[in-house]
Amino acid sequence: LTRLSQALDRTLNALLKATPKTPELTIAKDVLNHQVAFVQAKFPQHAPALLTILEPFGTELIQLFDE
């Protein structure tokens, strides 16, 4: 779970550096934070799967908000 939180932090920090003035990015960051907390609390056995997709998904978000 610690790795999951660290991956989320790295992904979100990269997103904010890429497009710091995008309000939609703030919403995306909040949703991802809530998703990670939800998985950690309710489905900790799925945390490794979320970790696997979280960082590549962050790259996708950067591309989406960079358009």
Side-chain angles (χ1 to χ4, degrees):
L1 295 178
T2 300
R3 287 181 53 213
L4 182 61
S5 292
Q6 291 171 345
L8 176 65
D9 286 342
R10 284 192 307 271
T11 300
L12 296 176
N13 287 335
L15 287 170
L16 291 173
K17 287 178 186 175
T19 54
K21 60 186 175 199
T22 306
E24 294 89 356
L25 187 57
T26 302
I27 295 169
K29 177 184 176 282
D30 289 344
V31 169
L32 287 175
N33 278 325
H34 289 294
Q35 182 182 22
V36 167
F38 178 79
V39 169
Q40 287 176 334
K42 304 279 185 174
F43 302 99
Q45 72 274 18
H46 296 300
L50 184 58
L51 178 61
T52 300
I53 64 166
L54 189 60
E55 290 186 71
F57 183 67
T59 302
E60 293 291 320
L61 284 178
I62 290 171
Q63 293 172 357
L64 176 68
F65 287 109
D66 205 27
E67 294 176 348

Short mmCIF file of all heavy atoms in Angstrom, two decimals:
data_model
loop_
_atom_site.label_atom_id
_atom_site.label_comp_id
_atom_site.label_asym_id
_atom_site.label_seq_id
_atom_site.Cartn_x
_atom_site.Cartn_y
_atom_site.Cartn_z
N LEU A 1 0.82 -1.20 0.00
CA LEU A 1 0.00 0.00 0.00
C LEU A 1 0.86 1.26 0.00
O LEU A 1 0.47 2.26 -0.59
CB LEU A 1 -0.93 -0.01 1.21
CG LEU A 1 -1.98 -1.11 1.22
CD1 LEU A 1 -2.81 -1.04 2.49
CD2 LEU A 1 -2.85 -1.07 0.00
N THR A 2 2.00 1.17 0.62
CA THR A 2 2.91 2.32 0.61
C THR A 2 3.38 2.60 -0.81
O THR A 2 3.42 3.76 -1.23
CB THR A 2 4.12 2.05 1.52
OG1 THR A 2 3.64 1.83 2.85
CG2 THR A 2 5.08 3.22 1.52
N ARG A 3 3.69 1.53 -1.56
CA ARG A 3 4.11 1.72 -2.96
C ARG A 3 3.00 2.35 -3.77
O ARG A 3 3.26 3.17 -4.65
CB ARG A 3 4.51 0.37 -3.57
CG ARG A 3 5.83 -0.14 -3.04
CD ARG A 3 6.24 -1.47 -3.67
NE ARG A 3 6.21 -1.41 -5.10
CZ ARG A 3 5.89 -2.44 -5.88
NH1 ARG A 3 5.57 -3.60 -5.35
NH2 ARG A 3 5.89 -2.33 -7.19
N LEU A 4 1.77 1.98 -3.49
CA LEU A 4 0.63 2.54 -4.21
C LEU A 4 0.53 4.04 -3.94
O LEU A 4 0.37 4.83 -4.86
CB LEU A 4 -0.65 1.83 -3.78
CG LEU A 4 -1.93 2.25 -4.47
CD1 LEU A 4 -1.86 2.00 -5.96
CD2 LEU A 4 -3.11 1.47 -3.88
N SER A 5 0.67 4.44 -2.71
CA SER A 5 0.60 5.86 -2.36
C SER A 5 1.76 6.63 -2.99
O SER A 5 1.58 7.74 -3.49
CB SER A 5 0.63 6.04 -0.85
OG SER A 5 -0.54 5.54 -0.28
N GLN A 6 2.94 6.04 -2.99
CA GLN A 6 4.10 6.70 -3.59
C GLN A 6 3.92 6.85 -5.10
O GLN A 6 4.26 7.89 -5.66
CB GLN A 6 5.37 5.92 -3.27
CG GLN A 6 5.77 5.99 -1.82
CD GLN A 6 6.89 5.03 -1.48
OE1 GLN A 6 7.21 4.11 -2.23
NE2 GLN A 6 7.48 5.23 -0.30
N ALA A 7 3.39 5.82 -5.74
CA ALA A 7 3.16 5.89 -7.18
C ALA A 7 2.13 6.97 -7.51
O ALA A 7 2.28 7.71 -8.48
CB ALA A 7 2.69 4.54 -7.71
N LEU A 8 1.09 7.04 -6.70
CA LEU A 8 0.08 8.07 -6.90
C LEU A 8 0.70 9.45 -6.75
O LEU A 8 0.46 10.34 -7.58
CB LEU A 8 -1.08 7.90 -5.93
CG LEU A 8 -2.15 8.98 -5.99
CD1 LEU A 8 -2.86 8.96 -7.35
CD2 LEU A 8 -3.15 8.80 -4.88
N ASP A 9 1.50 9.64 -5.72
CA ASP A 9 2.14 10.94 -5.52
C ASP A 9 3.03 11.32 -6.70
O ASP A 9 2.98 12.46 -7.17
CB ASP A 9 2.98 10.93 -4.23
CG ASP A 9 2.14 10.97 -2.98
OD1 ASP A 9 0.95 11.35 -3.06
OD2 ASP A 9 2.67 10.60 -1.91
N ARG A 10 3.82 10.39 -7.19
CA ARG A 10 4.69 10.67 -8.34
C ARG A 10 3.86 11.03 -9.56
O ARG A 10 4.18 11.97 -10.29
CB ARG A 10 5.58 9.47 -8.64
CG ARG A 10 6.74 9.31 -7.69
CD ARG A 10 7.75 8.29 -8.20
NE ARG A 10 7.18 7.01 -8.55
CZ ARG A 10 7.03 5.98 -7.73
NH1 ARG A 10 7.41 6.09 -6.48
NH2 ARG A 10 6.50 4.85 -8.15
N THR A 11 2.80 10.27 -9.80
CA THR A 11 1.96 10.50 -10.97
C THR A 11 1.28 11.86 -10.88
O THR A 11 1.29 12.64 -11.84
CB THR A 11 0.89 9.39 -11.09
OG1 THR A 11 1.55 8.14 -11.23
CG2 THR A 11 -0.01 9.62 -12.28
N LEU A 12 0.72 12.16 -9.74
CA LEU A 12 0.01 13.43 -9.59
C LEU A 12 0.96 14.62 -9.64
O LEU A 12 0.64 15.65 -10.24
CB LEU A 12 -0.78 13.43 -8.28
CG LEU A 12 -1.90 12.39 -8.22
CD1 LEU A 12 -2.57 12.42 -6.85
CD2 LEU A 12 -2.92 12.61 -9.32
N ASN A 13 2.13 14.49 -9.06
CA ASN A 13 3.11 15.57 -9.14
C ASN A 13 3.54 15.82 -10.57
O ASN A 13 3.69 16.97 -11.00
CB ASN A 13 4.32 15.28 -8.26
CG ASN A 13 4.00 15.43 -6.79
OD1 ASN A 13 3.09 16.16 -6.42
ND2 ASN A 13 4.75 14.74 -5.95
N ALA A 14 3.73 14.76 -11.34
CA ALA A 14 4.09 14.92 -12.75
C ALA A 14 2.96 15.61 -13.51
O ALA A 14 3.21 16.47 -14.36
CB ALA A 14 4.39 13.56 -13.37
N LEU A 15 1.74 15.23 -13.20
CA LEU A 15 0.59 15.86 -13.87
C LEU A 15 0.53 17.35 -13.55
O LEU A 15 0.31 18.18 -14.44
CB LEU A 15 -0.71 15.20 -13.41
CG LEU A 15 -0.99 13.81 -13.95
CD1 LEU A 15 -2.19 13.20 -13.22
CD2 LEU A 15 -1.27 13.87 -15.44
N LEU A 16 0.71 17.70 -12.30
CA LEU A 16 0.62 19.10 -11.91
C LEU A 16 1.76 19.93 -12.49
O LEU A 16 1.56 21.09 -12.84
CB LEU A 16 0.59 19.22 -10.38
CG LEU A 16 -0.70 18.70 -9.75
CD1 LEU A 16 -0.58 18.69 -8.23
CD2 LEU A 16 -1.91 19.51 -10.18
N LYS A 17 2.93 19.34 -12.64
CA LYS A 17 4.04 20.06 -13.25
C LYS A 17 3.80 20.26 -14.74
O LYS A 17 4.18 21.26 -15.31
CB LYS A 17 5.35 19.30 -13.03
CG LYS A 17 5.85 19.39 -11.61
CD LYS A 17 7.12 18.59 -11.43
CE LYS A 17 7.52 18.57 -9.96
NZ LYS A 17 8.68 17.72 -9.73
N ALA A 18 3.16 19.29 -15.37
CA ALA A 18 2.94 19.37 -16.82
C ALA A 18 1.90 20.43 -17.16
O ALA A 18 2.04 21.13 -18.15
CB ALA A 18 2.50 18.00 -17.35
N THR A 19 0.85 20.51 -16.37
CA THR A 19 -0.23 21.45 -16.66
C THR A 19 -0.75 22.05 -15.36
O THR A 19 -1.86 21.73 -14.94
CB THR A 19 -1.37 20.74 -17.41
OG1 THR A 19 -1.77 19.60 -16.65
CG2 THR A 19 -0.98 20.31 -18.79
N PRO A 20 0.02 22.92 -14.73
CA PRO A 20 -0.35 23.40 -13.40
C PRO A 20 -1.59 24.28 -13.34
O PRO A 20 -2.17 24.46 -12.28
CB PRO A 20 0.89 24.19 -12.96
CG PRO A 20 1.54 24.60 -14.22
CD PRO A 20 1.26 23.49 -15.19
N LYS A 21 -2.04 24.83 -14.44
CA LYS A 21 -3.17 25.76 -14.38
C LYS A 21 -4.48 25.15 -14.85
O LYS A 21 -5.46 25.84 -15.03
CB LYS A 21 -2.85 27.01 -15.18
CG LYS A 21 -2.56 26.75 -16.64
CD LYS A 21 -2.12 28.00 -17.34
CE LYS A 21 -1.73 27.64 -18.77
NZ LYS A 21 -0.91 28.61 -19.39
N THR A 22 -4.52 23.86 -15.06
CA THR A 22 -5.73 23.21 -15.56
C THR A 22 -6.65 22.83 -14.41
O THR A 22 -6.32 21.95 -13.62
CB THR A 22 -5.36 21.95 -16.37
OG1 THR A 22 -4.43 22.33 -17.38
CG2 THR A 22 -6.57 21.33 -17.00
N PRO A 23 -7.82 23.47 -14.32
CA PRO A 23 -8.74 23.11 -13.23
C PRO A 23 -9.22 21.66 -13.30
O PRO A 23 -9.42 21.02 -12.27
CB PRO A 23 -9.93 24.06 -13.42
CG PRO A 23 -9.47 25.11 -14.37
CD PRO A 23 -8.32 24.56 -15.12
N GLU A 24 -9.38 21.15 -14.50
CA GLU A 24 -9.81 19.76 -14.64
C GLU A 24 -8.79 18.80 -14.05
O GLU A 24 -9.13 17.74 -13.54
CB GLU A 24 -10.06 19.41 -16.11
CG GLU A 24 -11.23 20.16 -16.72
CD GLU A 24 -10.83 21.50 -17.34
OE1 GLU A 24 -9.65 21.90 -17.23
OE2 GLU A 24 -11.71 22.13 -17.91
N LEU A 25 -7.54 19.18 -14.12
CA LEU A 25 -6.48 18.33 -13.57
C LEU A 25 -6.61 18.22 -12.05
O LEU A 25 -6.37 17.17 -11.48
CB LEU A 25 -5.11 18.88 -13.95
CG LEU A 25 -3.92 18.02 -13.58
CD1 LEU A 25 -4.05 16.63 -14.20
CD2 LEU A 25 -2.64 18.68 -14.03
N THR A 26 -7.02 19.29 -11.42
CA THR A 26 -7.24 19.26 -9.98
C THR A 26 -8.35 18.27 -9.64
O THR A 26 -8.24 17.51 -8.67
CB THR A 26 -7.59 20.67 -9.46
OG1 THR A 26 -6.52 21.55 -9.80
CG2 THR A 26 -7.77 20.67 -7.96
N ILE A 27 -9.39 18.28 -10.43
CA ILE A 27 -10.48 17.32 -10.21
C ILE A 27 -9.97 15.90 -10.42
O ILE A 27 -10.27 15.00 -9.62
CB ILE A 27 -11.67 17.63 -11.14
CG1 ILE A 27 -12.27 18.99 -10.77
CG2 ILE A 27 -12.72 16.52 -11.06
CD1 ILE A 27 -13.26 19.51 -11.77
N ALA A 28 -9.20 15.67 -11.48
CA ALA A 28 -8.66 14.34 -11.75
C ALA A 28 -7.78 13.88 -10.59
O ALA A 28 -7.84 12.72 -10.17
CB ALA A 28 -7.86 14.35 -13.05
N LYS A 29 -6.98 14.80 -10.05
CA LYS A 29 -6.11 14.48 -8.91
C LYS A 29 -6.96 14.05 -7.71
O LYS A 29 -6.66 13.06 -7.05
CB LYS A 29 -5.25 15.69 -8.56
CG LYS A 29 -4.37 15.51 -7.34
CD LYS A 29 -3.64 16.81 -7.04
CE LYS A 29 -2.84 16.71 -5.78
NZ LYS A 29 -3.63 16.82 -4.56
N ASP A 30 -8.02 14.79 -7.44
CA ASP A 30 -8.89 14.45 -6.31
C ASP A 30 -9.54 13.09 -6.50
O ASP A 30 -9.63 12.29 -5.57
CB ASP A 30 -9.97 15.52 -6.12
CG ASP A 30 -9.41 16.82 -5.57
OD1 ASP A 30 -8.27 16.82 -5.05
OD2 ASP A 30 -10.12 17.84 -5.66
N VAL A 31 -10.00 12.82 -7.72
CA VAL A 31 -10.64 11.53 -8.00
C VAL A 31 -9.64 10.39 -7.80
O VAL A 31 -9.97 9.37 -7.18
CB VAL A 31 -11.24 11.50 -9.43
CG1 VAL A 31 -11.67 10.09 -9.81
CG2 VAL A 31 -12.42 12.46 -9.51
N LEU A 32 -8.42 10.56 -8.30
CA LEU A 32 -7.41 9.52 -8.12
C LEU A 32 -7.08 9.31 -6.65
O LEU A 32 -6.90 8.18 -6.20
CB LEU A 32 -6.15 9.85 -8.92
CG LEU A 32 -6.26 9.68 -10.43
CD1 LEU A 32 -4.99 10.16 -11.10
CD2 LEU A 32 -6.55 8.24 -10.80
N ASN A 33 -6.99 10.40 -5.90
CA ASN A 33 -6.73 10.27 -4.46
C ASN A 33 -7.84 9.48 -3.77
O ASN A 33 -7.57 8.61 -2.94
CB ASN A 33 -6.60 11.65 -3.80
CG ASN A 33 -5.23 12.24 -3.96
OD1 ASN A 33 -4.24 11.54 -3.95
ND2 ASN A 33 -5.18 13.54 -4.11
N HIS A 34 -9.07 9.79 -4.12
CA HIS A 34 -10.20 9.08 -3.53
C HIS A 34 -10.22 7.61 -3.96
O HIS A 34 -10.55 6.73 -3.17
CB HIS A 34 -11.53 9.76 -3.88
CG HIS A 34 -11.72 11.06 -3.17
ND1 HIS A 34 -11.88 11.16 -1.81
CD2 HIS A 34 -11.77 12.32 -3.65
CE1 HIS A 34 -12.02 12.43 -1.47
NE2 HIS A 34 -11.96 13.15 -2.58
N GLN A 35 -9.87 7.36 -5.22
CA GLN A 35 -9.85 5.98 -5.71
C GLN A 35 -8.80 5.17 -4.95
O GLN A 35 -9.07 4.04 -4.53
CB GLN A 35 -9.56 5.94 -7.20
CG GLN A 35 -9.57 4.54 -7.77
CD GLN A 35 -9.25 4.50 -9.24
OE1 GLN A 35 -8.63 5.41 -9.78
NE2 GLN A 35 -9.67 3.45 -9.91
N VAL A 36 -7.63 5.72 -4.76
CA VAL A 36 -6.58 5.01 -4.04
C VAL A 36 -7.00 4.75 -2.59
O VAL A 36 -6.85 3.64 -2.08
CB VAL A 36 -5.25 5.79 -4.09
CG1 VAL A 36 -4.24 5.25 -3.10
CG2 VAL A 36 -4.68 5.75 -5.49
N ALA A 37 -7.57 5.75 -1.95
CA ALA A 37 -8.03 5.56 -0.57
C ALA A 37 -9.12 4.50 -0.49
O ALA A 37 -9.12 3.66 0.43
CB ALA A 37 -8.55 6.89 -0.01
N PHE A 38 -10.02 4.49 -1.46
CA PHE A 38 -11.10 3.50 -1.50
C PHE A 38 -10.54 2.09 -1.66
O PHE A 38 -10.92 1.17 -0.94
CB PHE A 38 -12.05 3.84 -2.65
CG PHE A 38 -13.17 2.85 -2.81
CD1 PHE A 38 -14.28 2.90 -1.98
CD2 PHE A 38 -13.13 1.87 -3.79
CE1 PHE A 38 -15.32 2.00 -2.12
CE2 PHE A 38 -14.16 0.97 -3.94
CZ PHE A 38 -15.26 1.03 -3.10
N VAL A 39 -9.60 1.94 -2.60
CA VAL A 39 -9.00 0.62 -2.83
C VAL A 39 -8.24 0.17 -1.59
O VAL A 39 -8.35 -0.99 -1.19
CB VAL A 39 -8.11 0.63 -4.09
CG1 VAL A 39 -7.28 -0.64 -4.19
CG2 VAL A 39 -8.96 0.80 -5.34
N GLN A 40 -7.50 1.06 -0.99
CA GLN A 40 -6.74 0.70 0.20
C GLN A 40 -7.66 0.26 1.34
O GLN A 40 -7.35 -0.69 2.06
CB GLN A 40 -5.88 1.86 0.66
CG GLN A 40 -4.69 2.12 -0.23
CD GLN A 40 -3.89 3.33 0.18
OE1 GLN A 40 -4.40 4.26 0.80
NE2 GLN A 40 -2.62 3.34 -0.18
N ALA A 41 -8.79 0.93 1.49
CA ALA A 41 -9.70 0.63 2.60
C ALA A 41 -10.58 -0.58 2.34
O ALA A 41 -10.79 -1.40 3.24
CB ALA A 41 -10.57 1.85 2.89
N LYS A 42 -11.11 -0.68 1.13
CA LYS A 42 -12.13 -1.69 0.86
C LYS A 42 -11.62 -2.93 0.12
O LYS A 42 -12.16 -4.01 0.26
CB LYS A 42 -13.26 -1.07 0.02
CG LYS A 42 -13.91 0.14 0.62
CD LYS A 42 -14.92 -0.25 1.65
CE LYS A 42 -15.63 1.02 2.14
NZ LYS A 42 -16.71 0.73 3.02
N PHE A 43 -10.60 -2.75 -0.72
CA PHE A 43 -10.11 -3.84 -1.56
C PHE A 43 -8.58 -3.86 -1.59
O PHE A 43 -7.97 -3.76 -2.66
CB PHE A 43 -10.65 -3.70 -2.99
CG PHE A 43 -12.15 -3.68 -3.07
CD1 PHE A 43 -12.84 -2.48 -3.17
CD2 PHE A 43 -12.86 -4.87 -3.04
CE1 PHE A 43 -14.22 -2.45 -3.24
CE2 PHE A 43 -14.25 -4.85 -3.12
CZ PHE A 43 -14.92 -3.64 -3.20
N PRO A 44 -7.93 -3.97 -0.44
CA PRO A 44 -6.47 -3.92 -0.42
C PRO A 44 -5.80 -5.00 -1.27
O PRO A 44 -4.68 -4.81 -1.74
CB PRO A 44 -6.12 -4.06 1.06
CG PRO A 44 -7.32 -4.66 1.69
CD PRO A 44 -8.50 -4.21 0.88
N GLN A 45 -6.51 -6.09 -1.50
CA GLN A 45 -5.93 -7.15 -2.34
C GLN A 45 -5.78 -6.70 -3.80
O GLN A 45 -5.03 -7.30 -4.56
CB GLN A 45 -6.78 -8.44 -2.25
CG GLN A 45 -8.12 -8.37 -2.96
CD GLN A 45 -9.26 -7.78 -2.15
OE1 GLN A 45 -9.05 -7.10 -1.15
NE2 GLN A 45 -10.48 -8.03 -2.58
N HIS A 46 -6.47 -5.63 -4.18
CA HIS A 46 -6.39 -5.13 -5.55
C HIS A 46 -5.41 -3.96 -5.70
O HIS A 46 -5.23 -3.44 -6.80
CB HIS A 46 -7.78 -4.70 -6.05
CG HIS A 46 -8.73 -5.84 -6.14
ND1 HIS A 46 -8.52 -6.93 -6.95
CD2 HIS A 46 -9.90 -6.06 -5.51
CE1 HIS A 46 -9.53 -7.77 -6.82
NE2 HIS A 46 -10.37 -7.28 -5.94
N ALA A 47 -4.77 -3.58 -4.60
CA ALA A 47 -3.81 -2.48 -4.66
C ALA A 47 -2.68 -2.73 -5.66
O ALA A 47 -2.32 -1.82 -6.40
CB ALA A 47 -3.25 -2.20 -3.27
N PRO A 48 -2.13 -3.96 -5.76
CA PRO A 48 -1.08 -4.18 -6.76
C PRO A 48 -1.56 -3.93 -8.20
O PRO A 48 -0.82 -3.39 -9.02
CB PRO A 48 -0.67 -5.64 -6.56
CG PRO A 48 -1.01 -5.91 -5.13
CD PRO A 48 -2.27 -5.12 -4.87
N ALA A 49 -2.79 -4.30 -8.50
CA ALA A 49 -3.33 -4.07 -9.85
C ALA A 49 -3.47 -2.57 -10.11
O ALA A 49 -3.14 -2.09 -11.20
CB ALA A 49 -4.67 -4.77 -10.03
N LEU A 50 -3.94 -1.83 -9.12
CA LEU A 50 -4.08 -0.38 -9.28
C LEU A 50 -2.71 0.25 -9.47
O LEU A 50 -2.54 1.14 -10.31
CB LEU A 50 -4.81 0.22 -8.08
CG LEU A 50 -5.09 1.71 -8.14
CD1 LEU A 50 -5.93 2.06 -9.36
CD2 LEU A 50 -5.80 2.17 -6.88
N LEU A 51 -1.74 -0.22 -8.73
CA LEU A 51 -0.37 0.28 -8.87
C LEU A 51 0.16 0.05 -10.28
O LEU A 51 0.80 0.91 -10.87
CB LEU A 51 0.54 -0.39 -7.84
CG LEU A 51 2.01 -0.02 -7.88
CD1 LEU A 51 2.20 1.46 -7.61
CD2 LEU A 51 2.78 -0.84 -6.86
N THR A 52 -0.15 -1.11 -10.84
CA THR A 52 0.31 -1.45 -12.18
C THR A 52 -0.20 -0.47 -13.23
O THR A 52 0.51 -0.14 -14.17
CB THR A 52 -0.12 -2.89 -12.54
OG1 THR A 52 0.46 -3.78 -11.60
CG2 THR A 52 0.31 -3.27 -13.94
N ILE A 53 -1.43 0.00 -13.07
CA ILE A 53 -2.01 0.88 -14.10
C ILE A 53 -1.88 2.36 -13.77
O ILE A 53 -2.02 3.20 -14.66
CB ILE A 53 -3.49 0.55 -14.35
CG1 ILE A 53 -4.34 0.81 -13.11
CG2 ILE A 53 -3.66 -0.86 -14.85
CD1 ILE A 53 -5.82 0.83 -13.39
N LEU A 54 -1.60 2.70 -12.53
CA LEU A 54 -1.64 4.09 -12.11
C LEU A 54 -0.62 4.96 -12.83
O LEU A 54 -0.95 6.03 -13.34
CB LEU A 54 -1.43 4.18 -10.60
CG LEU A 54 -1.64 5.55 -9.97
CD1 LEU A 54 -3.05 6.04 -10.20
CD2 LEU A 54 -1.34 5.48 -8.49
N GLU A 55 0.62 4.54 -12.88
CA GLU A 55 1.65 5.37 -13.52
C GLU A 55 1.43 5.52 -15.02
O GLU A 55 1.48 6.64 -15.53
CB GLU A 55 3.03 4.84 -13.18
CG GLU A 55 3.36 5.07 -11.71
CD GLU A 55 4.77 4.69 -11.33
OE1 GLU A 55 5.68 5.42 -11.75
OE2 GLU A 55 4.94 3.68 -10.64
N PRO A 56 1.15 4.45 -15.77
CA PRO A 56 0.88 4.65 -17.20
C PRO A 56 -0.37 5.52 -17.43
O PRO A 56 -0.42 6.30 -18.37
CB PRO A 56 0.66 3.24 -17.74
CG PRO A 56 1.28 2.33 -16.75
CD PRO A 56 1.20 3.04 -15.43
N PHE A 57 -1.35 5.40 -16.56
CA PHE A 57 -2.55 6.22 -16.70
C PHE A 57 -2.22 7.69 -16.48
O PHE A 57 -2.79 8.57 -17.13
CB PHE A 57 -3.64 5.75 -15.72
CG PHE A 57 -4.92 6.51 -15.87
CD1 PHE A 57 -5.68 6.39 -17.03
CD2 PHE A 57 -5.38 7.33 -14.85
CE1 PHE A 57 -6.87 7.09 -17.17
CE2 PHE A 57 -6.56 8.02 -14.99
CZ PHE A 57 -7.30 7.91 -16.15
N GLY A 58 -1.29 7.97 -15.58
CA GLY A 58 -0.86 9.35 -15.38
C GLY A 58 -0.30 9.95 -16.65
O GLY A 58 -0.56 11.12 -16.97
N THR A 59 0.45 9.17 -17.40
CA THR A 59 0.97 9.63 -18.68
C THR A 59 -0.16 9.95 -19.65
O THR A 59 -0.12 10.95 -20.36
CB THR A 59 1.91 8.55 -19.29
OG1 THR A 59 2.95 8.29 -18.36
CG2 THR A 59 2.49 9.00 -20.61
N GLU A 60 -1.17 9.11 -19.65
CA GLU A 60 -2.35 9.36 -20.50
C GLU A 60 -3.04 10.66 -20.11
O GLU A 60 -3.48 11.43 -20.96
CB GLU A 60 -3.34 8.20 -20.41
CG GLU A 60 -2.84 6.90 -21.01
CD GLU A 60 -2.73 6.97 -22.52
OE1 GLU A 60 -3.61 7.56 -23.17
OE2 GLU A 60 -1.74 6.42 -23.05
N LEU A 61 -3.15 10.90 -18.81
CA LEU A 61 -3.80 12.13 -18.35
C LEU A 61 -3.00 13.37 -18.78
O LEU A 61 -3.57 14.38 -19.17
CB LEU A 61 -3.97 12.12 -16.83
CG LEU A 61 -5.08 11.26 -16.28
CD1 LEU A 61 -5.09 11.32 -14.76
CD2 LEU A 61 -6.43 11.68 -16.83
N ILE A 62 -1.68 13.28 -18.70
CA ILE A 62 -0.85 14.39 -19.13
C ILE A 62 -1.14 14.71 -20.59
O ILE A 62 -1.32 15.87 -20.97
CB ILE A 62 0.65 14.09 -18.92
CG1 ILE A 62 0.97 14.09 -17.43
CG2 ILE A 62 1.52 15.10 -19.64
CD1 ILE A 62 2.35 13.60 -17.10
N GLN A 63 -1.20 13.69 -21.42
CA GLN A 63 -1.47 13.89 -22.84
C GLN A 63 -2.87 14.48 -23.04
O GLN A 63 -3.06 15.37 -23.85
CB GLN A 63 -1.32 12.59 -23.61
CG GLN A 63 0.11 12.09 -23.66
CD GLN A 63 0.24 10.71 -24.25
OE1 GLN A 63 -0.74 10.07 -24.60
NE2 GLN A 63 1.47 10.24 -24.38
N LEU A 64 -3.82 14.00 -22.30
CA LEU A 64 -5.19 14.49 -22.41
C LEU A 64 -5.30 15.95 -22.05
O LEU A 64 -5.89 16.75 -22.78
CB LEU A 64 -6.12 13.65 -21.52
CG LEU A 64 -7.58 14.09 -21.46
CD1 LEU A 64 -8.26 13.88 -22.81
CD2 LEU A 64 -8.31 13.34 -20.37
N PHE A 65 -4.70 16.36 -20.94
CA PHE A 65 -4.81 17.74 -20.48
C PHE A 65 -3.84 18.66 -21.18
O PHE A 65 -3.95 19.88 -21.07
CB PHE A 65 -4.62 17.80 -18.97
CG PHE A 65 -5.78 17.27 -18.20
CD1 PHE A 65 -5.68 16.06 -17.52
CD2 PHE A 65 -7.00 17.93 -18.19
CE1 PHE A 65 -6.77 15.55 -16.82
CE2 PHE A 65 -8.09 17.43 -17.49
CZ PHE A 65 -7.96 16.24 -16.81
N ASP A 66 -2.90 18.12 -21.90
CA ASP A 66 -1.92 18.94 -22.63
C ASP A 66 -2.46 19.38 -23.99
O ASP A 66 -1.87 20.20 -24.65
CB ASP A 66 -0.62 18.15 -22.79
CG ASP A 66 0.58 19.08 -22.96
OD1 ASP A 66 0.52 20.22 -22.47
OD2 ASP A 66 1.55 18.64 -23.59
N GLU A 67 -3.59 18.80 -24.39
CA GLU A 67 -4.15 19.13 -25.72
C GLU A 67 -4.81 20.49 -25.72
O GLU A 67 -5.27 21.02 -24.80
CB GLU A 67 -5.18 18.07 -26.13
CG GLU A 67 -4.54 16.73 -26.35
CD GLU A 67 -5.57 15.65 -26.66
OE1 GLU A 67 -6.78 15.86 -26.49
OE2 GLU A 67 -5.13 14.58 -27.07
#
